[in-house]
Amino acid sequence: MRSNPLTDALANVLLRPWDGPLGAPPFLVVRPEDFLPAFETATAWHREELAIISAQAEPPTFENTIAALERCGEALGRVRRLFWTLSSAQGTPAIRAIEAQVSALLSAHSTAISHDPVLAQRVAAVHAARHEAGLDAQQVRLVETGQAGFLRGGAALTETEKHRFAEIDARLSALSVQFGHNVMAATSDWVLDLGEDDLAGLPAALCDAAKGRAGAKGLSGRYHVTLDRTDYESFLSFSERRDLRETLWRAFTGRCDGGPHDNWPVIAETLALRQERAAMLGYADHAHYALEESMAHTPDAAADMLAQLWEPGKRRAAEEAAELQALIDAEDGGFPLAPWDWRFYAEKVRRSRYALDGVAVAEHLRLDAVRQAAFDTAGRLYGLSFTHRPDIPGYQADVWAWEVSDAAGAPVGLLFTDYLARPEKHGGAWMGSLRVQETMDGQVLPVVYLVANFAAAPPPDIASTRLSIDEARTLFHEFGHALHGLLSRVTYPSQSGTAVARDFVEFPSKFMENWIVSREVLSGFGVPDALITAIRNAESYGQGYATVELISCSLVDLAMHRAPGGADDPRAFVAAELQRLGMPPEIGLRHRFPYFTHIFDGGYASAYYSYAWSEALDADAFEAFVASGDIFNPALADRFRTEILGVGDTRDPMDSFKAFLGRAPDAGALMRARHLVDA
């Protein structure tokens, strides 16, 4: 009996539609060895669907071309989202072993679509007639972004150029995977092994987590501090051992800077290829290519915004540095302020000047309580409720599923939360979508997930993991991204939720951070009034350090992707650029470039400025809530949900902001929020 190719393919569980509650993926039956066959079959199906669109005899229309492109590739989309979710958050050796192959396959498939002359011609024809075709505004925007996507993918190139373009894209894809693997390996390969005598000043939560890690390796009485940013920032803030702070700082900031996981060669080749691709498409450099469809539109506009913050930030940082040096001298320290000293002495200032005790704050910020506070905040703002669904498994035991409902009890979507650090995770925190909201052929509910790397308390009470105020802010930040995905209300999937300009996508997440430091939310944790006041008052302190740390990365990122010779010797280029900027040596970059995954294994190349740009929007928007006298103002919240969270990429993001506040953003809001007006 001959086999049926379709039946054989569907024996692969990854190719079947997800039929779990609320569209949950079948995590429990996913096998790494099924992914490559699933990708091969799903891309073949997608090619067949595209061939049908190309072979139509009817003239191109929105429905038979643009909408048809939106509908096809559903199976490939499911497999792709599931794979990259696991790759980033549960990257087992079996998953990591095929990342390069998957990346190469997807890169080649995407390039082939952009280079299909018949598809490109059909899209171009619809684009040319878009204003006479009776389309609504979101359909016109979909046509315009579709046409831009084909052109940016090389559709207008000659055949020889297309061949080179495909080579570049394939190589950039492989380099991105290599960069991320190097960072993961360098991070997981190193621990700071401590004994009881090395723990002076450290919070109990950090000690408990470090003891648990060492204990898991059979090392009784030892404590292992990792290079996860959670460990790093907490240790540098509280450890009284200056020598150990320096050891950890050098290990953290030296990752992938030489040695077996050296990323400088990867960076150099990546920069050169990005520049070549941009030139091939007619752009002055990669920064102009990357920012064309952003809110800023040009690198000059982004750089101008950053410049407004840079000098005031440096002046404020100099004031802070002088104060910290005076504190060191008053204690007869006998040494100049160094990068591994800053957080430790800044914490002392917060305790002495503002009565802010970071350890005391963390005692109130249990992970489960902070998560619930985020849910409650969304309930008060948008009428949402979150119900734990233990019957819906995640991809790991720590991953919980939450059914999200609206005020009427109707389902909104499904949320997975994954907050605890594990070796198989990439570092940092992020939000992703397993399925996006859309209504093309009926209501499709979103499935989103949140990932962080908080150091877990020892079992069994993992939920009692304590968070610093900055970690709690991170949880709220990523939750803001989740709300953007969950509250999307669009027709077409490629316009859904967070599929917006890079310098707009961080707006809803930055905006959400405001509530975790509000008196209304902090009081719900049982934080005493005096400590809440200390947290609020201390918000203005350290803004010089925070601004310099963030903006320096953004400025160098932009400069590196604009400079013709940036790829020649990127290590020397970064050093020269920091010297030109007058970078305070006792601060340093927040992300040193050999482990700067945002721009070399993410989507932020030339666009790390987006965090500051979005923060400007956030500061202006939140001022409106404060001015109303109610940070839970229902009318403003409803307008934010409708005009910002709900519209996705159906219109220009500036139009969305204007629809929310009735005007363009106030450029001074960010200076006020960062307390730099008088700097």
Side-chain angles (χ1 to χ4, degrees), residues 93-290:
I95 290 291
R96 289 201 298 271
I98 61 173
E99 279 184 359
Q101 291 172 269
V102 169
S103 183
L105 185 153
L106 292 177
S107 175
H109 181 65
S110 175
T111 301
I113 294 172
S114 295
H115 292 180
D116 183 322
V118 178
L119 275 179
Q121 289 165 10
R122 291 188 69 89
V123 171
V126 179
H127 180 262
R130 67 193 183 282
H131 295 305
E132 294 79 38
L135 305 180
D136 62 28
Q138 65 177 324
Q139 290 172 329
V140 169
R141 184 165 177 84
L142 186 63
V143 172
E144 291 174 344
T145 55
Q147 169 72 351
F150 269 88
L151 293 176
R152 290 167 63 83
L157 299 176
T158 66
E159 287 306 312
T160 300
E161 290 170 331
K162 285 180 178 179
H163 177 73
R164 177 57 184 156
F165 186 98
E167 289 180 337
I168 291 172
D169 264 11
R171 183 57 182 157
L172 284 172
S173 175
L175 289 168
S176 174
V177 172
Q178 183 181 348
F179 189 95
H181 281 186
N182 281 341
V183 175
M184 283 191 71
T187 301
S188 62
D189 284 355
W190 192 94
V191 294
L192 182 61
D193 180 58
L194 305 176
E196 294 282 353
D197 296 338
D198 302 321
L199 307 179
L202 295 179
L206 176 59
C207 294
D208 288 346
K211 184 176 182 179
R213 291 188 204 102
K217 297 178 181 178
L219 300 174
S220 177
R222 306 304 295 175
Y223 299 79
H224 282 181
V225 174
T226 71
L227 294 181
D228 286 329
R229 186 169 288 274
T230 296
D231 275 14
Y232 169 75
E233 293 187 352
S234 182
F235 193 91
L236 263 62
S237 296
F238 297 108
S239 175
E240 296 177 9
R241 289 281 302 276
R242 186 171 190 254
D243 59 328
L244 294 177
R245 295 201 307 269
E246 180 179 0
T247 297
L248 183 60
W249 181 87
R250 291 193 181 281
F252 185 88
T253 60
R255 286 175 296 162
C256 303
D257 186 1
H261 307 301
D262 187 10
N263 263 335
W264 284 115
V266 178
I267 291 172
E269 187 177 357
T270 298
L271 292 172
L273 291 173
R274 286 174 177 170
Q275 179 66 21
E276 182 182 352
R277 181 178 61 184
M280 186 179 294
L281 294 173
Y283 295 92
D285 48 57
H286 180 78
H288 281 85
Y289 164 76

Side-chain angles (χ1 to χ4, degrees), residues 301-469:
D304 287 347
M305 184 274 297
L306 296 172
Q308 295 174 32
L309 293 164
W310 181 241
E311 291 301 331
K314 278 203 301 180
R315 288 193 290 271
R316 180 72 80 230
E319 296 169 2
E320 295 165 3
E323 182 176 21
L324 299 183
Q325 186 63 60
L327 180 55
I328 292 170
D329 295 343
E331 295 180 352
D332 295 324
F335 53 83
L337 177 68
W340 49 88
D341 298 318
W342 192 296
R343 292 179 184 275
F344 179 75
Y345 286 97
E347 185 67 25
K348 285 193 171 190
V349 171
R350 291 187 180 94
R351 284 198 297 267
S352 62
R353 179 183 300 171
Y354 303 105
L356 178 58
D357 184 343
V359 175
V361 173
E363 285 303 308
H364 295 279
L365 300 181
R366 287 172 53 111
L367 173 57
D368 54 352
V370 177
R371 180 185 61 212
Q372 188 59 48
F375 292 169
D376 292 343
T377 299
R380 292 181 67 179
L381 287 170
Y382 310 119
L384 301 180
S385 61
F386 297 78
T387 304
H388 182 210
R389 292 290 303 267
D391 59 311
I392 302 178
Y395 49 81
Q396 210 271 348
D398 297 336
V399 180
W400 286 17
W402 305 85
E403 179 175 354
V404 187
S405 305
D406 64 17
V412 169
L414 181 64
L415 169 68
F416 288 95
T417 56
D418 178 8
Y419 289 130
L420 301 177
R422 294 189 302 274
E424 60 271 19
K425 273 187 182 181
H426 283 269
W430 62 94
M431 166 266 182
S433 294
L434 284 154
R435 186 174 72 182
V436 299
Q437 177 274 331
E438 47 106 344
T439 60
M440 276 195 76
D441 300 306
Q443 180 66 264
V444 175
L445 298 179
V447 179
V448 304
Y449 62 95
L450 299 177
V451 181
N453 275 279
F454 304 135
D461 192 15
I462 290 177
S464 69
T465 294
R466 260 65 174 181
L467 305 183
S468 69
I469 192 66

Side-chain angles (χ1 to χ4, degrees), residues 540-606:
S540 63
Y541 180 72
Q543 288 295 338
Y545 177 91
T547 300
V548 167
E549 195 186 39
L550 172 70
I551 302 304
S552 57
C553 286
S554 306
L555 287 168
V556 179
D557 168 39
L558 266 178
M560 177 178 274
H561 285 96
R562 298 182 75 177
D568 295 342
D569 186 348
R571 187 202 305 261
F573 180 89
V574 171
E577 190 65 15
L578 291 176
Q579 184 175 9
R580 185 188 70 81
L581 291 169
M583 180 71 178
E586 62 271 23
I587 296 181
L589 293 164
R590 177 170 178 80
H591 303 287
R592 298 207 171 199
F593 281 73
Y595 56 85
F596 201 171
T597 53
H598 285 79
I599 64 173
F600 294 110
D601 185 29
Y604 284 81
S606 304

Side-chain angles (χ1 to χ4, degrees), residues 466-495:
R466 260 65 174 181
L467 305 183
S468 69
I469 192 66
D470 286 341
E471 290 168 338
R473 196 192 302 267
T474 294
L475 188 150
F476 267 62
H477 177 100
E478 299 305 334
F479 185 63
H481 282 308
L483 292 176
H484 200 177
L486 289 165
L487 294 179
S488 174
R489 291 295 176 269
V490 303
T491 302
Y492 303 103
S494 65
Q495 294 179 323

